[in-house]
Every structure is written in C-alpha cells, then in structure tokens.
Amino acid sequence: REQTRDTTTLTIKYVMQTFFSLLFGVVYLRMARDQTSIQDRTGILFFQAMNQAFGSAIGISKIIPQQLKVVSRERAARMYTPLPYYVSTFLVTLPLELVPGVIYGTVIYYMTALREGVKHYLVFLSVMTLENFAGIGLGMCLSASFTSVEMAPQLAPAFVILFLMFSGFFLNESNVPVWLIWLREISFIRYAFQALCVNEFKGAEFSCDGSTGSCVDGDEHLERLKFDDITISGNCGILAGMILGFNLLALGIVYYRQPKYLALEKKTQ
C-alpha cells in the first residue's frame, strides 16, 4: 500500500517509461536486416538492458528507508521478524516492475522489428525479466543499506553506472584491466546484454550490397564483441544465481541492521 499510495510518483514513472519506449521504437522503427542495422540492433539491445537496470534498481532502492520508522516501531512490538517483512516487500514490488516491463518490452520488440519468431521473442522477454529480478535484488541491497530516503537517488545510480561500464558495450571484454575483472564478473547488465545479443545474432543472416565494405553475419558480429562462446542458458543461470545472491545479501543486511533492544529484568521479590 505504501508503494501504490504515491500515485504521483508512479504516474510520472510510467509516463516516462512510455515516452522512452515510444522514443526508442520510433528512432529504431522497423530496422531492415542489412549490414547497417547490425550496429543499430546492438544499440537498441544495450539501451533495453540499461533502461531495465536503471528502472528497477534505482526505483526499488527507496523502499526500505521510506518504511523504516514504521517497521522499527512494529519490530519493537515484536509483530514480525525481518524475514516476512523482506519477503512481503519483495513480492509487492514484482507486479509494479514486471508488468510494465513486459508491456514496454513487447512494444519495443515489434516496433523495432527485432528478430522474427516466437521463440526469440520469448527468450527476449525471459532475459529482460531475469535482469529485472536482478535489478530488484540489487535495489533491495541498496535499500537495506540506506537509512535516508534522500540517499537512495543520489547513491544508487553510481552502482548501476559501474555495472554499465563493464557490460561489454562500452569496453571490449578483453581490454578490461586485470584488477577490475571482478567488476566485470558481477555486472548483471553484462550477462543480460550478452544473452540478448546471442538471441538476436546467433545464426542470423544480413543482406549485403557491398556498399559498406566488408560484410558480416550475426556469428561474426558476436565474435567481434567477444560473445561467440556465450550461451543464453548459461547467462540465464548466472542471472538466476545473482538474483538469489543479491536477495540473500539484502536479507542479511536487514537482519544486521535491525534494531536491538535490551531485555527487561524481572523484579525480584
């Protein structure tokens, strides 16, 4: 109820999501299957992964600080433990995040003419849903760490930007400094973007008229991105593990930060 009560924030959020979905759809409207569309397709897939990460992680990061005073008072009265509170908070966020994500993802997929076929469409939605879950998990970790509502929108974007830097779009994976590889490995955006690219380009053919110089197919494009050894199932499994890991970490933080009270001693006669 706390999340649905703020209708102004929800309205602004959904209006902005609708605007950007239509904007992406118009900019990349009905892409052809030629050589120049390869870069365009890579771009829209990255924007989708980025938009999903920002929307879920940053929005969720404000939930627990908003409820902190009420929850602390109810916890002091021993009304519930952190586990049911965390689970209920997580479950309440799902329809508010997943339903719009599926709708906007579907609109963009068909407006931009991404790869044809029900199988590819369902894989696209599945990967985006897993990324959304991972973003919610990260948002819950950040939310459990914040004590002030004002801190969430200021600090949460920095964490998402770190994951964006190592997503495989801005920097080739083989060029990541050795001492920063660990950031690359924990970037859930990277695994989602890789899976989306494999779904779009694996075994795909693109027309070539020779005007663009060298001609490549989908497999060769994946080799350029260093994604040629990536499997969709493998990345989805990693995303599922990260969802579990983020939520366990967030639950641990909630337990660690729960208020502690001294037990009252019984009076002796």
Side-chain angles (χ1 to χ4, degrees), residues 16-259:
M16 292 304 296
Q17 287 182 337
T18 302
F19 170 77
F20 281 110
S21 296
L22 294 177
L23 178 63
F24 289 149
V26 171
V27 172
Y28 294 93
L29 185 64
R30 307 306 299 174
M31 292 180 290
R33 298 197 63 82
D34 54 18
Q35 295 296 305
T36 57
S37 75
I38 294 178
Q39 180 180 353
D40 297 339
R41 291 172 184 274
T42 308
I44 186 59
L45 292 176
F46 173 75
F47 276 122
Q48 279 291 89
M50 178 185 70
N51 195 41
Q52 191 76 282
F54 269 102
S56 56
I58 297 176
I60 298 300
S61 65
K62 298 184 293 184
I63 289 180
I64 294 179
Q66 287 176 334
Q67 305 171 353
L68 195 58
K69 291 183 179 180
V70 175
V71 172
S72 297
R73 183 172 63 249
E74 293 175 347
R75 283 283 295 115
R78 298 183 181 275
M79 297 180 65
Y80 47 77
T81 63
L83 179 59
Y85 162 70
Y86 180 85
V87 172
S88 61
T89 302
F90 178 79
L91 293 177
V92 166
T93 64
L94 295 185
L96 297 177
E97 295 292 331
L98 292 181
V99 174
V102 171
I103 295 174
Y104 297 138
T106 300
V107 170
I108 291 178
Y109 194 91
Y110 287 105
M111 283 188 69
T112 58
L114 290 172
R115 195 167 185 177
E116 293 182 355
V118 176
K119 175 185 175 182
H120 296 294
Y121 165 69
L122 293 178
V123 169
F124 172 85
L125 283 187
S126 299
V127 172
M128 295 297 292
T129 300
L130 285 173
E131 187 193 11
N132 203 346
F133 275 124
I136 291 173
L138 174 63
M140 293 296 286
C141 283
L142 299 175
S143 184
S145 304
F146 297 149
T147 56
S148 170
V149 178
E150 290 76 17
M151 292 174 62
Q154 296 178 19
L155 298 180
F159 289 89
V160 179
I161 290 173
L162 274 177
F163 290 136
L164 278 175
M165 290 176 60
F166 299 95
S167 63
F169 183 78
F170 295 114
L171 180 66
N172 194 289
E173 296 210 339
S174 60
N175 295 330
V176 176
V178 176
W179 55 283
L180 290 177
I181 287 179
W182 65 276
L183 280 172
R184 183 191 70 185
E185 296 302 316
I186 65 172
S187 173
F188 69 98
I189 304 174
R190 167 181 176 245
Y191 296 108
F193 176 56
Q194 287 177 339
L196 292 174
C197 285
V198 171
N199 181 56
E200 182 67 23
F201 295 111
K202 187 75 171 179
E205 298 289 338
F206 296 90
S207 61
C208 179
D209 57 9
S211 61
T212 57
S214 61
C215 296
V216 298
D217 58 20
D219 292 329
E220 291 171 329
H221 181 60
L222 289 176
E223 289 180 13
R224 291 181 176 180
L225 294 172
K226 304 298 182 183
F227 293 173
D228 50 303
D229 59 345
I230 300 299
T231 63
I232 296 175
S233 59
N235 276 32
C236 287
I238 294 173
L239 284 172
M242 296 184 78
I243 293 169
L244 179 62
F246 280 142
N247 282 285
L248 288 177
L249 177 59
L251 181 59
I253 295 173
V254 171
Y255 268 99
Y256 177 78
R257 293 176 62 88
Q258 66 177 318

